Amino acid sequence: MRAALILARVLPLVLPLFLGLAPATPARAAEAPRPLVVGTDASYAPFESQNDRGEIVGFDIDVVRAVAARAGLQVKFVNTPWEGIFNALAQGDRDLVVSAVSITPERQASMAFTDPYFDARQLIAVRRDSPVARLADLRGLKVGVQTGTSGDDVVSRLMGKTSPNIKRFESTPLALKELEAGGVDAVVADNGVVVNYVAHNPGGGFKTVADPGFVTEHYGMALRKDEGALRERLNQGLAAIRADGTYARLYARYFGAAEAQAAASAAPVSDTAPGLHWEILAGYGPLFLRGLLVTVELTLVAIAAGLALGVMLGLVSSSRDAPVPASASARWALKGLRGLTAAYVTFFRGTPLFVQILLVHFALMPALINADHGLLLSGDAAREFRQVHGAFLSGCVALSLNAGAYISEIFRAGIQSIHRGQTQAAYSLGLGHGQALRHVILPQAFRRMVPALVNEGVTLIKDSSLVSAIGLAELALAARTVAGAYSRYWEPYLAVSAIYLVLTLLLSTLARRLEAPAHLRGR
């Protein structure tokens, strides 16, 4: 299991800290140059999407491969959600970001760019009967955009960043799907993506509007500012593919004509075609299987770690019924421990799990595992670890901490639900507090905890889908990948819903089997 592999890699690095030693960065001499890890949001056809063989394909991908070949570089593409793609670059999880990224002054302040490799304009998508003829006509209308994109900037300048008429989505295809459903009046996005979507949804009733005020934007490959040598090599490679005609051939293949645009996408089926087309999922079996395994691993680790943490915190919270320590220092220590436990539970129960996942992945983990100054691990080993295991470890930590808070309350309530007379009776028989808990209180409390613990397990299975926001390839990200490639949403999300339902039913069935003997013992 992935969790065991992570423990095997982390423990040798953590144990020296407890022995007063600094973890050493492994020697890397005589190793082959590692490939550049390229982050891309593979839900943005025709620039990047994932085909039914699990391969990331598209115009951007082909351009990067050609540039890398000319520059003598190796590349490895990693599907990375747009929301965290630049953070992953800044923290060293990705060496390069190539995902139809517009070069803007705001982005140039924090990262470097290669020479432009694509010129783009914003385009307005509306329904065919819409009177919208220019950007200014969008005032007062509901407009969909992808969060953090140039389209978002354009509409925000027109309406104001806090306008309630701006609806932001995690991807442009989702915004266009909302337009088709009537949830927005227009969508503003990059022309390549809009044209590709409209071409594959001829029955959607769309038309596009080009405002003469839209300026030409330039896509570039984003990298860290301290990678000057790498930037120069990439620019040389880009110049080489322009000179030898490779770039022109790629451009013609994807954007030369409507037929070329249609061929560029992985989607042979229109989203508006009647009925469900389950055949589009046929080649994505391995992707869903990998997503299922990651979801199960993530849930099992979170349940085990959350249960261990929750039991300890629950015992601390319920220790008010324990005998008062004779030592004043012990009393103050116990009181402080209860206060810290209460603060922990309050924080993790009172803040959204999604926010906790982002805090762990983008704030806590970079402080512990970072190529430059990680407390536990640094150097190339830290970079490689984060690239391979970072998202999974962050997901496990966030879900475990959250589950620990809820499970601690389940244990506290279960213990306190047992009448105090039971505890007093145990004391009168000469049992200590620990013995009373073990032999009298907990066996009775456990029968009352089982339904709540099962419910927490079911919640964890479903909450694991939130980890897709940091790029972990679990079930939700698998569904999003298929939806992005085909511009269809019924089939992948119904399939994933069925898988989640089966997982929760299996857990509920297992829990009933565990609960039945407990009830029998209580008779």
Side-chain angles (χ1 to χ4, degrees), residues 259-296:
E259 293 79 12
Q261 291 165 2
S265 171
V269 181
S270 165
D271 189 61
T272 54
L276 296 175
H277 296 269
W278 297 107
E279 68 272 13
I280 69 172
L281 304 179
Y284 285 93
L287 181 66
F288 281 98
L289 179 59
R290 288 195 298 270
L292 172 62
L293 292 176
V294 171
T295 297
V296 170

Side-chain angles (χ1 to χ4, degrees), residues 430-506:
L431 297 179
H433 180 67
Q435 292 174 314
L437 276 175
R438 178 182 175 186
H439 297 293
V440 179
I441 306 302
L442 288 180
Q444 299 179 72
F446 179 74
R447 292 197 296 271
R448 303 181 183 184
M449 296 177 196
V450 168
L453 290 174
V454 172
N455 184 66
E456 179 60 23
V458 169
T459 300
L460 278 174
I461 291 176
K462 296 182 292 184
D463 285 349
S464 66
S465 63
L466 296 174
V467 184
S468 63
I470 59 174
L472 186 63
E474 45 70 69
L475 279 172
L477 189 60
R480 178 184 168 188
T481 298
V482 178
Y486 284 86
S487 297
R488 295 187 63 88
Y489 296 87
W490 274 105
E491 295 88 351
Y493 286 110
L494 280 176
V496 166
S497 297
I499 296 173
Y500 278 118
L501 182 60
V502 169
L503 289 177
T504 56
L505 289 176
L506 288 175

